[in-house]
Amino acid sequence: MNTLQFYLLVLLIILQYTTGNAADPAAMNYVTASCKTTRYPSLCVRCLSTYARSIQGNDQLLAKAAISVSLNNAKSAAAYVTKLSRSSGLKPREFQAMKDCVNGMNSCVPSLNQSVLELAKMARLTGQNFEWHMSNVETWVSSALTNQNTCARGFSDGSMNGPVKDAVIRRMSYVAQLTSNALALVNRFALRHKAGTHLP
């Protein structure tokens, strides 16, 4: 998506909120500006715009919302691949790749869930205490992203070309993009907290 399309998307979301939910334009501007630091900014804005009012320019709440979005989609993806793994007619390579994917996603979901819980504790933490908890969050989100990408790569063999491979890669790619954005916003929170520029 080019720059013009990105700003048109942002404009549409702002119009939706100002005419419908009457969200604070400053809150939307904060989300938009923050999402520019991610790898998939348009997806970031689209997914987090509904949280703009509750986030209200708070770096911690923004990171928490981003991980929550990733977690919800990871749960859905985990359920999807688990159901798909029980399908009849899977090729041997598909079955093994699906089994590995299910195992990876079963680790991914708890990692993201732990991250959400950990971030919720961090509003009043400072110094080494903050850094230790933040390191946990960064490690867990990064691990979740690795598991998602590993799942997709498990279907890279050309012998598995077909609807199963396409469905899994499409689902995992979307979740991985969400998690990539969440990790970028977590890192942004950590850097801004260290620099003393975060809110509150």
Side-chain angles (χ1 to χ4, degrees):
M1 179 176 287
N2 60 37
T3 303
L4 177 59
Q5 290 174 317
F6 172 69
Y7 282 109
L8 285 174
L9 172 64
V10 172
L11 178 61
L12 286 173
I13 292 172
I14 290 174
L15 286 174
Q16 172 193 344
Y17 271 77
T18 54
T19 58
N21 298 326
D24 181 359
M28 266 308 306
N29 289 339
Y30 167 77
V31 170
T32 302
S34 301
C35 283
K36 288 180 182 178
T37 65
T38 68
R39 189 172 180 182
Y40 308 98
S42 59
L43 176 64
C44 177
V45 172
R46 188 166 72 246
C47 292
L48 296 180
S49 60
T50 55
Y51 296 87
R53 186 188 306 198
S54 59
I55 291 170
Q56 286 295 329
N58 183 298
D59 296 334
Q60 178 204 7
L61 295 180
L62 177 68
K64 184 171 176 285
I67 299 176
S68 295
V69 169
S70 175
L71 172 61
N72 290 337
N73 281 272
K75 286 179 178 178
S76 176
Y80 177 76
V81 294
T82 298
K83 181 178 179 180
L84 208 55
S85 70
R86 296 168 181 159
S87 303
S88 59
L90 289 177
K91 303 171 188 176
R93 279 179 174 253
E94 287 177 336
F95 177 79
Q96 185 58 51
M98 196 68 71
K99 181 180 177 182
D100 293 341
C101 185
V102 170
N103 289 336
M105 291 306 292
N106 284 341
S107 297
C108 164
V109 170
S111 293
L112 292 172
N113 189 57
Q114 285 178 299
S115 299
V116 171
L117 297 175
E118 193 83 343
L119 267 177
K121 306 173 184 175
M122 297 177 64
R124 299 289 179 261
L125 298 179
T126 58
Q128 291 184 342
N129 202 16
F130 174 90
E131 291 176 7
W132 185 79
H133 286 277
M134 178 54 72
S135 176
N136 287 340
V137 174
E138 290 172 327
T139 298
W140 292 331
V141 178
S142 180
S143 173
L145 180 59
T146 297
N147 282 321
Q148 293 159 9
N149 286 327
T150 299
C151 172
R153 284 196 299 270
F155 289 84
S156 60
D157 194 308
S159 66
M160 289 188 280
N161 288 351
V164 172
K165 173 180 177 177
D166 293 343
V168 172
I169 289 180
R170 183 169 57 249
R171 198 71 174 254
M172 287 301 121
S173 294
Y174 179 72
V175 177
Q177 288 177 12
L178 293 174
T179 307
S180 171
N181 284 350
L183 182 58
L185 294 174
V186 165
N187 291 336
R188 177 180 179 276
F189 171 40
L191 289 172
R192 284 166 61 85
H193 185 279
K194 188 174 183 179
T197 58
H198 74 295
L199 292 175

